[in-house]
Amino acid sequence: MGFQIQLYKSDYVISNQEEIYQESLLVADKVSRLYDGVTADDRKGVYKKISESINVTWLYPVYNLFAAAAPSIHFYEINRFVNQSIRQYLFDIVGHPKDTKIWCQTWINCHDQDTLLKKHTHHFPHHGYLSIQPRDTQTMFYDGDEEAYCVKNEPGILYIGPGNIYHEVQPLEPIQDYRVTIGFNIITNHDSYDKIDGASFIPIL
């Protein structure tokens, strides 16, 4: 089975990695406090209170990272890079016309050894992530039950591919502190989404 995937590299993230990592932790804490005890029912944006704390990853339907991170210059530049990469992927790899309307849902992943993302998929046409501090990990993608391909996660590497590919994060060494990446889902006017539950998609202009 062929996959339309692409990898990009951000020299800006590589050059400013430690500062971006520290800002990422602050943003994750801010979002956790703003939405303390709130999660999405079936991950569709129907919100309810829960008694236990929840990782900031699972709040992705209720906020957009680049709004939560304002007015960070680092995240401004990351937003520019992510948007440019998405446009290149959709126009040159997927083949969408240049007048395609694009919306993006972006969140922060902040995980320790015990909360690394297990095998999952995304219910949107396109999905990607940007490694900020990935630690010594790889992301394995699957075609059915078979391993299809693997991405060795390195700072500044951005992956984009189809959203319906199952994947998981695999540690190659024990995780110290936190593993931080930026995740995003993409929809366009060529897709069948005329209504999105939640409030985190914003247009890429």
Side-chain angles (χ1 to χ4, degrees):
M1 180 178 181
F3 296 110
Q4 291 178 309
I5 67 171
Q6 190 71 13
L7 297 178
Y8 302 88
K9 183 176 76 170
S10 170
D11 292 329
Y12 184 87
V13 170
I14 295 171
S15 299
N16 299 278
Q17 182 195 18
E18 183 57 29
E19 288 186 9
I20 296 170
Y21 172 68
Q22 294 300 329
E23 283 197 14
S24 298
L25 298 181
L26 292 175
V27 174
D29 179 68
K30 173 185 177 181
V31 171
S32 295
R33 286 185 287 104
L34 283 173
Y35 299 101
D36 182 29
V38 178
T39 187
D41 187 18
D42 297 327
R43 303 180 189 173
K44 293 180 180 179
V46 180
Y47 313 124
K48 62 180 181 179
K49 285 285 184 178
I50 58 173
S51 57
E52 69 273 14
S53 62
I54 189 168
N55 189 284
V56 68
T57 292
W58 307 117
L59 292 168
Y60 70 89
V62 301
Y63 79 102
N64 190 285
L65 169 61
F66 296 119
S72 165
I73 300 300
H74 286 320
F75 279 94
Y76 186 97
E77 295 299 330
I78 290 171
N79 187 32
R80 187 203 307 270
F81 171 69
V82 170
N83 289 354
Q84 290 173 343
S85 301
I86 288 172
R87 286 184 173 277
Q88 196 280 332
Y89 172 78
L90 291 177
F91 298 158
D92 298 342
I93 306 301
V94 177
H96 284 329
K98 295 297 177 63
D99 62 351
T100 294
K101 309 300 186 293
I102 309 166
W103 293 264
C104 189
Q105 173 188 62
T106 313
W107 66 93
I108 195 160
N109 295 308
C110 184
H111 297 280
D112 59 18
Q113 178 73 29
D114 296 328
T115 58
L116 289 177
L117 292 169
K118 306 300 183 184
K119 193 174 182 181
H120 67 286
T121 188
H122 296 253
H123 301 291
F124 294 100
H126 315 283
H127 164 68
Y129 68 93
L130 170 63
S131 290
I132 303 300
Q133 175 47 277
R135 304 302 176 185
D136 193 3
T137 64
Q138 64 185 17
T139 302
M140 184 64 68
F141 294 82
Y142 296 88
D143 182 2
D145 294 328
E146 301 295 323
E147 295 180 354
Y149 59 94
C150 179
V151 174
K152 176 65 171 71
N153 297 314
E154 298 175 356
I157 295 299
L158 182 147
Y159 161 91
I160 309 180
N164 62 351
I165 304 175
Y166 276 90
H167 54 284
E168 66 180 345
V169 177
Q170 299 176 341
L172 302 176
E173 295 288 343
I175 302 297
Q176 303 297 323
D177 295 324
Y178 295 101
R179 175 185 187 270
V180 173
T181 64
I182 294 171
F184 55 92
N185 291 320
I186 308 162
I187 59 172
T188 76
N189 60 299
H190 304 294
D191 304 315
S192 59
Y193 289 89
D194 59 352
K195 181 179 183 298
I196 297 295
D197 292 327
S200 55
F201 276 92
I202 59 175
I204 293 179
L205 302 175

